[in-house]
Amino acid sequence: MSGSDPVAAFRVEAFELLDQIENDLLDLGQDLGNRALVDAVFRGLHTLKGSGSMFGFDALASFTHHCETAFDRVRKGQARATAALVGVILSARDQMRALLDETIAPDEAAQAAILAALQAAVADDGAATTAPAADAANVIEDATRLTFRLAPSAMANGNNPLNLLGELRELGATKVCADLSRLPPLDQLVPGECHIGWTMLLPASVTRDDIEDVFMFVMDDMELTLEELEPASAASEIIAVAETGTAAPSQARTPSAPAAESVRVPAERLDELMNRVGELVIAQSRLAQIAAQGGTINEIALRAVSEDIERLSSELRDTTMVLRMMQVGGLFGRFRRLVHDLAQETGKSIEFSTEGETTEVDKTVIERLADPMVHLIRNSCDHGLETAEQRIANGKAGTGQIMITATQTGGEVIITVADDGRGINRDAVRAKAEAQGLIAPDAVLADQDVLQLIFHPGFSTAAQVTNLSGRGVGMDVVKKTIEGLRGTIRMTSVEGQGTRIMLHLPLTLAIVECMLVRVGSGCYAIPLSAVEECLELPASEAAGGKSRSFLDVRGELIPFLRMREAFATDWPAELHQKIVIVGAGDTRVGLVIDQIIGNAQTVIKPLSRFHAGLGTFSGATILGDGTVALILDVGNLLASAQRQSATRAVGEAA
Amino acid sequence: MTASILAVDDSPSLRMAVRIALSGAGYSVTEAGDGVEGLSKSNAAAFDMIVTDLNMPNMDGLTMIREIRRSSSNASVPIVFLTTESDDGIKQQAKAAGATGWLVKPFEPDQLVRVARKVLGR
């Protein structure tokens, strides 16, 4: 743990604790008799309370304290863990989370309701939560005679009588006398035991509290007498006032600035990074040596260094990228709770499983993936899965399955949300799309195209279709988010058997392998993952204007866009123009360009806010020679090509 | 010579708070994340004081205190435990296990320093 702000560290830790508690509670809900889980939950609550109060989260600490007290009854076997109790503590956990967030005003009514429910859940006499009244402080009048004797075991427990005497001396003790009367004979003497007693005089100003402070750890087992005591009743009031005085400022704590984003990185990854940097430094010094030689440069040596640096920089890039990677397990964990809640809301019996939790994805992807996945899972629970009765009537198991998996293939991660519900009713989707004018009544659509209709923005707003087809709420938002992450959505669905939605996501967002092309005088980058093939534009097409923008590639008609026209360049055209065919999913489109320059690793720089609205480009990159190349947004180009083919279809029909 | 203190707690933030408080007062602090780690560290080196949580995974504080008292290297080291419970039961158990003193969470940093001064005498 680095950094020096314990409060920020606490907040990170507390969120982790809460997630852990939630997981343990959900496990406990499945296995109510599991003592290890009960202990784990208790320990979590306990730590949260302890640390919370340490760092000034007083409301959190006191709320957690009540939960802990109630749960302690379960731990001690005085109450049984029930599904109701787990439910209440889960909602209490949510409260705790809210209490950690200083921007949210605490909802005391909700807290009180939860605590009441909690009391009911653990039944009968709660008691013991009231704090003992503050001890009255007593002031000792005049000089006081103090006599004390420690327990024989005191020293074995780590106490040092000399320290105690030192403290008493600081209080002003005088006439300290040792009492050796109980010293056993030498043959019976155990050196580690304390048999000496002491008497002394203390000044009048020393209170009983002061003395108890000195003996605080040994009070219970020692002999202690104080003579000439006289209580002063006023003191207790003063103490009470003082206590409220110190409590107030901590309540009025100003909300701190949002904590800086942080990523936890395993130490071995940092070691790897250090190794690479070390090698890079060596390569650099070799380069410096070659430069210092002057005169005729040793070309072979220079090339060797250049190759080393190239290798190192690509390794450095990979190791650095990995630093931002996080396992999807944390994200998946959140959905367990969601499914649990949805199952209760809908009254369906749902089994939730995950696979591939250790798959790693860029932190940004994980963060932005949460909302769309909630949408998908919610859809599966709400609309995909049938009620237990319907399922049994259809010959399925009464419990519905929802499964999310993550796998990595090459440069992308595929996250799948699958259910074994009723699937998507194509006819209902078609009917709705026709009613909304999204497709012509007699249009012939591939099955995948029918399913893709669900992602159409206009489609999802129709509430009715959700009941008919089982899908649709906010799916366009899901699609937008995934595309914003440079990913794609694919979907399969078998009626009566379930639906599977696959999110294909790039491993990282910051670097992408690109093909560099030239159009007119400008250089552009096309993400290599989208490039399918490169052809030479037939001379017949090159001459033709806008009349025909379809190319016959091995019997398949592929629409193409003339980038020269799109970018309105008046630079002289290349004699042999090339066509780069890009694709995603089932759609393909050709881009006519002047020249293919080659492949390059490009670091994506976002466009300025002023240019952010441009759909054609997803970003920019800086090339080795310092020029800027815009990165083409393939998804957007495909969409515009689809519009083109749609107009063509209409044209042919007419 | 600066007194060396072993802080055992499963909560990194709490360990951090303990470290900041004690090292600010001039003590040198070694950290351990649970009872097992605490025990192995205390067996490996002599400490002037041990501060430990009770509720910890793997090995709880009580067991660790008992083991340390039975060991040779730190058998009579002052051990202060941190607890959130103000009831006596847990204190009695801990004392029976061999704890020297305790500190009720939440505590102010200087409370911890006072306790350290108290049991260390410096």
Side-chain angles (χ1 to χ4, degrees):
Chain A
M1 175 104 2
S2 63
S4 55
D5 181 8
V7 176
F10 164 70
R11 216 182 257 118
V12 171
E13 177 185 316
F15 282 126
E16 280 171 13
L17 263 176
L18 284 173
D19 287 349
Q20 185 59 46
I21 292 173
E22 180 174 63
N23 260 323
D24 290 337
L25 280 170
L26 290 168
D27 286 338
L28 186 64
Q30 310 272 317
D31 182 7
L32 289 170
N34 191 324
R35 290 219 44 93
L37 287 172
V38 170
D39 286 347
V41 171
F42 179 79
R43 196 164 52 231
L45 292 171
H46 186 83
T47 307
L48 188 66
K49 176 183 79 169
S51 308
S53 54
M54 279 296 304
F55 298 111
F57 290 83
D58 295 341
L60 172 75
S62 88
F63 179 71
T64 312
H65 170 73
H66 291 300
C67 296
E68 186 200 333
T69 311
F71 201 73
D72 196 28
R73 293 176 58 79
V74 178
R75 190 174 68 124
K76 289 181 174 152
Q78 294 163 342
R80 273 178 358 94
T82 57
L85 177 66
V86 169
V88 175
I89 298 190
L90 275 174
S91 57
R93 185 213 83 105
D94 296 344
Q95 266 305 319
M96 292 170 198
R97 211 182 153 86
L99 284 170
L100 270 171
D101 187 344
E102 288 169 326
T103 58
I104 301 174
D107 184 350
E108 274 158 25
Q111 286 176 30
I114 290 169
L115 290 179
L118 198 56
Q119 286 298 336
V122 294
D124 62 316
D125 47 297
T129 49
T130 48
D135 294 343
N138 299 325
V139 177
I140 301 164
E141 296 289 317
D142 295 328
T144 317
R145 181 188 304 278
L146 168 73
T147 312
F148 78 94
R149 183 181 291 279
L150 298 178
S153 65
M155 274 153 64
N157 271 5
N159 291 295
N160 187 344
L162 290 177
N163 291 345
L164 299 176
L165 290 171
E167 282 184 60
L168 289 168
R169 206 173 295 125
E170 278 171 27
L171 288 177
T174 50
K175 298 187 184 160
V176 182
C177 294
D179 171 11
L180 306 177
S181 60
R182 290 199 214 164
L183 213 58
L186 198 58
D187 56 344
Q188 290 166 30
L189 182 76
V190 180
E193 288 183 357
C194 179
H195 297 285
I196 307 172
W198 284 272
T199 52
M200 65 196 68
L201 288 180
L202 290 168
S205 56
V206 176
T207 63
R208 195 183 173 91
D209 280 357
D210 292 336
I211 295 170
E212 289 186 352
D213 233 29
V214 173
F215 295 111
M216 60 189 291
F217 296 144
V218 286
M219 272 302 260
D220 302 342
D221 328 300
M222 70 182 293
E223 294 170 25
L224 175 76
T225 52
L226 281 171
E227 291 162 65
E228 295 171 65
L229 300 183
E230 202 165 292
S233 55
S236 60
E237 276 177 38
I238 295 165
I239 300 268
V241 170
E243 276 175 1
T244 52
T246 55
S250 67
Q251 293 288 336
R253 228 148 46 87
T254 50
S256 54
E261 234 192 337
S262 62
V263 187
R264 283 195 180 198
V265 179
E268 68 212 44
R269 288 190 173 169
L270 289 179
D271 293 345
E272 212 178 305
L273 188 62
M274 271 315 292
N275 284 341
R276 301 268 182 276
V277 171
E279 285 186 55
L280 190 65
V281 170
I282 295 168
Q284 190 272 330
S285 65
R286 275 167 59 201
L287 187 62
Q289 210 174 2
I290 293 170
Q293 279 169 0
T296 51
I297 297 282
N298 183 344
E299 200 188 320
I300 295 167
L302 186 63
R303 196 164 290 162
V305 174
S306 156
E307 276 169 13
D308 274 359
I309 291 181
E310 189 181 333
R311 173 181 60 85
L312 279 169
S313 63
S314 87
E315 281 175 357
L316 260 178
R317 184 201 68 210
D318 291 346
T319 15
T320 315
M321 283 302 136
V322 165
L323 295 183
R324 284 186 57 84
M325 298 294 229
M326 283 169 62
Q327 297 196 346
V328 293
L331 178 68
F332 285 6
R334 276 188 250 170
F335 301 135
R336 275 187 76 189
R337 173 68 186 282
L338 176 72
V339 173
H340 171 95
D341 289 354
L342 286 172
Q344 290 201 323
E345 240 171 68
T346 56
K348 293 172 188 171
S349 165
I350 304 175
E351 198 177 302
F352 179 68
S353 55
T354 58
E355 220 172 72
E357 292 93 337
T358 53
T359 310
E360 293 190 323
V361 192
D362 194 279
K363 184 174 187 292
T364 323
V365 177
I366 291 213
E367 280 159 4
R368 288 173 48 193
L369 208 52
D371 285 345
M373 287 196 66
V374 166
H375 255 307
L376 296 178
I377 292 171
R378 189 171 264 283
N379 271 344
S380 282
C381 292
D382 269 358
H383 312 302
L385 293 178
E386 314 90 329
T387 59
E389 297 83 56
Q390 287 169 339
R391 290 180 64 90
I392 291 165
N394 289 330
K396 295 194 205 176
T399 301
Q401 303 277 347
I402 290 185
M403 181 157 186
I404 50 180
T405 53
T407 48
Q408 188 190 332
T409 53
E412 63 177 12
V413 165
I414 304 170
I415 293 179
T416 311
V417 179
D419 66 61
D420 68 342
R422 54 170 74 93
I424 292 172
N425 183 341
R426 268 74 164 181
D427 295 340
V429 172
R430 263 202 88 106
K432 193 73 206 173
E434 282 168 17
Q436 291 202 329
L438 295 177
I439 52 170
D442 51 357
V444 180
L445 289 180
D447 189 50
Q448 191 64 32
D449 293 338
V450 177
L451 293 179
Q452 288 291 332
L453 284 172
I454 288 164
F455 295 108
H456 198 281
F459 195 82
S460 64
T461 49
Q464 250 185 326
V465 84
T466 355
N467 302 331
L468 279 171
S469 70
R471 298 280 160 178
V473 180
M475 289 298 254
D476 62 318
V477 180
V478 173
K479 191 176 183 197
K480 231 189 206 147
T481 314
I482 301 300
E483 284 175 351
L485 292 168
R486 296 198 289 113
T488 52
I489 299 189
R490 283 168 215 182
M491 184 172 193
T492 58
S493 179
V494 179
E495 272 192 72
Q497 286 180 30
T499 304
R500 171 180 292 267
I501 295 177
M502 283 155 287
L503 311 177
H504 293 246
L505 296 159
L507 269 182
T508 176
L509 300 176
I511 286 195
V512 67
E513 194 112 11
C514 277
M515 173 180 278
L516 291 178
V517 300
R518 185 176 64 79
V519 178
S521 58
C523 193
Y524 300 90
I526 306 170
L528 204 60
S529 57
V531 174
E532 294 193 346
E533 60 185 312
C534 303
L535 305 167
E536 193 155 303
L537 188 70
S540 55
E541 295 292 344
K546 283 177 186 170
S547 56
R548 282 189 63 195
S549 0
F550 284 87
L551 190 67
D552 186 345
V553 179
R554 291 185 294 279
E556 192 186 346
L557 272 188
I558 294 178
F560 64 83
L561 299 170
R562 290 174 196 276
M563 302 314 281
R564 289 182 60 85
E565 282 168 21
F567 298 149
T569 181
D570 46 14
W571 195 274
E574 195 76 14
L575 181 60
H576 299 289
Q577 291 188 54
K578 305 287 184 299
I579 182 158
V580 177
I581 296 179
V582 294
D586 294 338
T587 9
R588 300 208 285 163
V589 63
L591 305 176
V592 180
I593 48 107
D594 278 331
Q595 189 192 354
I596 294 171
I597 299 173
N599 290 355
Q601 295 280 348
T602 54
V603 178
I604 300 182
K605 307 262 180 209
L607 293 174
S608 72
R609 210 180 311 165
F610 183 66
H611 298 100
L614 286 176
T616 320
F617 304 110
S618 57
T621 188
I622 296 167
L623 302 177
D625 62 359
T627 52
V628 172
L630 293 167
I631 300 169
L632 297 179
D633 184 338
V634 172
N636 192 285
L637 290 170
L638 286 172
S640 67
Q642 264 170 339
R643 281 195 295 277
Q644 192 176 337
S645 62
T647 45
R648 171 174 166 266
V650 170
E652 282 181 0
Chain B
M1 197 191 100
T2 54
S4 65
I5 298 178
L6 176 65
V8 191
D9 201 304
D10 55 334
S11 152
S13 64
L14 213 108
R15 286 205 303 275
M16 188 190 281
V18 168
R19 174 162 54 75
I20 289 173
L22 291 177
S23 54
Y27 300 111
S28 85
V29 180
T30 306
E31 295 179 31
D34 60 32
V36 175
E37 198 186 342
L39 184 61
S40 75
K41 288 202 169 151
S42 92
N43 282 337
F47 290 95
D48 297 303
M49 173 184 173
I50 295 173
V51 181
T52 179
D53 190 17
L54 289 183
N55 247 305
M56 291 182 293
N58 299 327
M59 181 190 282
D60 66 17
L62 288 180
T63 316
M64 186 189 80
I65 294 172
R66 264 182 229 115
E67 293 292 326
I68 289 176
R69 287 286 177 242
R70 281 190 3 220
S71 71
S72 53
S73 53
N74 283 300
S76 59
V77 65
I79 303 179
V80 172
F81 64 90
L82 306 175
T83 176
T84 49
E85 278 141 89
S86 38
D87 71 271
D88 257 9
I90 192 79
K91 280 181 202 162
Q92 291 308 335
Q93 278 183 44
K95 283 173 76 171
T100 311
W102 60 86
L103 195 54
V104 177
K105 289 189 272 193
F107 51 83
E108 295 292 323
D110 51 319
Q111 272 179 293
L112 178 62
V113 173
R114 277 217 307 278
V115 167
R117 290 243 159 82
K118 182 176 184 60
V119 300
L120 288 165
R122 52 180 158 155

